[in-house]
Amino acid sequence: QVAAASGHTVVLVDQSDDILKKSKKGIEESLKRLTKKKFADKPEAGAEFIEKTLKNLTTNTDALSVVHSTDLVIEAIVENPEIKNELFKRLDKFAPEHTIFASNTSSLQITQLANSTTRQDRFGGLHFFNPVPLMKLVEVIKTPMTSQKTFESLMEFSKAVGKSPVSCKDTPGFIVNRLLVPYMLEAVRLFERGDASKEDIDVAMKLGAGYPMGPFELLDYVGLDTSKYIIDGWHSLEPNNPLFAPSPLLNKLVKEKKLGKKTGEGFYKY
């Protein structure tokens, strides 16, 4: 959406036409909400903006058939390294020499993904934040193999879609999640020890630190399965790092399929 709205020609690829229809409808709804605010007193200009943006966007279920005319591929599929590597390996064979590959992963190693291709120098991380149309931040990740030219292109693209890019090396969680995930887990440990209730911890962080959500609200919003997946991955990389220690309570809730907002219950009921 943000790429199309900023004048880029975009092909959105997914597994089925059904998913793509839903995605396109979601983008239309999102654009309508944005234009209501942005063009409050100019509805004609708003309608034109929506039409123009949607013109820049086509959909396809066959990534290989569209990648040959692509300058930048941004992958945002399931957080599973094997599945991501498989996709990149296939696209690598069909993409032109100049095409840059980027992953929107929040927790996996970019270097490991780049190694599934022959274009390690044209590979980096572009980590957008949810909800993407509203959040200004993009983390641009440079691996030891990413060329300066590629890095500059990714920074320029981020600015061209109206974002504020920050740069980070390929370290677990990059900047935001490297600080945010241990903070959320530390909140769970505080609650596990019985030192404070989850409600009071959430209120304290909102009113005392000015955070828009407390750590338990945020965990439920992100998804407890996603949070567990991230911490398990880091724990296997650095088993002696106490910040990455798994949480028995988090594991229990995930086992009980209480994954947060998306399942109707996590730390809280919805």
Side-chain angles (χ1 to χ4, degrees):
Q1 180 187 321
V2 296
S6 51
H8 297 83
T9 306
V10 180
V11 186
L12 173 63
V13 178
D14 215 318
Q15 290 178 318
S16 73
D17 286 321
D18 270 1
I19 296 172
L20 287 166
K21 261 194 205 114
K22 274 185 198 143
S23 301
K24 208 154 182 193
K25 198 168 187 280
I27 288 172
E28 261 181 81
E29 296 300 317
S30 172
L31 284 167
K32 279 178 192 160
R33 283 195 300 275
L34 270 187
T35 48
K36 256 189 194 144
K37 286 178 194 159
K38 206 173 164 188
F39 301 95
D41 41 2
K42 291 180 281 190
E44 293 87 8
E48 196 185 324
F49 170 71
I50 293 174
E51 193 189 343
K52 228 174 169 176
T53 300
L54 293 174
K55 257 202 186 117
N56 289 334
L57 183 70
T58 53
T59 59
N60 206 303
T61 53
D62 181 12
L64 300 183
S65 71
V66 293
V67 77
H68 61 79
S69 57
T70 303
D71 298 314
L72 173 64
V73 172
I74 303 177
E75 165 278 316
I77 65 172
V78 63
E79 284 284 83
N80 177 311
E82 286 77 33
I83 298 172
K84 285 187 193 288
N85 282 337
E86 188 48 48
L87 176 67
F88 280 127
K89 202 184 276 177
R90 289 212 327 268
L91 292 176
D92 189 41
K93 292 190 180 85
F94 291 86
E97 190 76 11
H98 75 276
T99 305
I100 293 173
F101 283 8
S103 176
N104 178 52
T105 181
S106 58
S107 66
L108 298 174
Q109 231 191 356
I110 302 291
T111 307
Q112 194 198 348
L113 300 174
N115 284 340
S116 64
T117 71
T118 57
R119 61 184 76 222
Q120 288 99 329
D121 58 326
R122 284 148 291 154
F123 202 114
L126 274 181
H127 181 217
F128 288 81
F129 284 77
N130 262 331
V132 179
L134 302 178
M135 298 288 270
K136 293 297 279 184
L137 187 68
V138 176
E139 289 176 326
V140 180
I141 313 309
K142 190 177 194 248
T143 78
M145 295 104 65
T146 308
S147 73
Q148 190 57 25
K149 188 182 170 199
T150 298
F151 173 69
E152 281 164 15
S153 298
L154 292 173
M155 290 293 277
E156 274 162 33
F157 172 75
S158 304
K159 288 174 189 163
V161 296
K163 300 301 175 196
S164 301
V166 294
S167 164
C168 184
K169 286 183 180 171
D170 191 15
T171 177
F174 316 134
I175 298 174
V176 174
N177 282 326
R178 180 64 179 78
L179 297 172
L180 197 57
V181 174
Y183 147 74
M184 294 193 294
L185 264 281
E186 196 52 31
V188 177
R189 292 182 195 114
L190 191 67
F191 173 56
E192 277 175 325
R193 290 194 300 270
D195 294 342
S197 72
K198 52 184 188 286
E199 291 81 3
D200 282 355
I201 295 169
D202 276 355
V203 169
M205 291 314 291
K206 285 191 285 193
L207 302 186
Y211 286 15
M213 282 183 188
F216 293 96
E217 290 173 298
L218 189 55
L219 279 160
D220 279 355
Y221 178 77
V222 168
L224 304 193
D225 50 341
T226 307
S227 308
K228 173 179 154 52
Y229 183 81
I230 293 170
I231 212 73
D232 287 351
W234 295 356
H235 181 62
S236 64
L237 284 176
E238 295 182 34
N240 298 325
N241 189 334
L243 290 175
F244 300 163
S247 148
L249 178 57
L250 184 65
N251 291 347
K252 178 178 176 281
L253 289 169
V254 171
K255 207 174 169 185
E256 291 167 357
K257 300 270 188 288
K258 293 174 181 168
L259 308 181
K261 238 175 161 170
K262 60 186 170 189
T263 58
E265 188 178 351
F267 283 102
Y268 297 113
K269 278 194 166 83
Y270 296 89

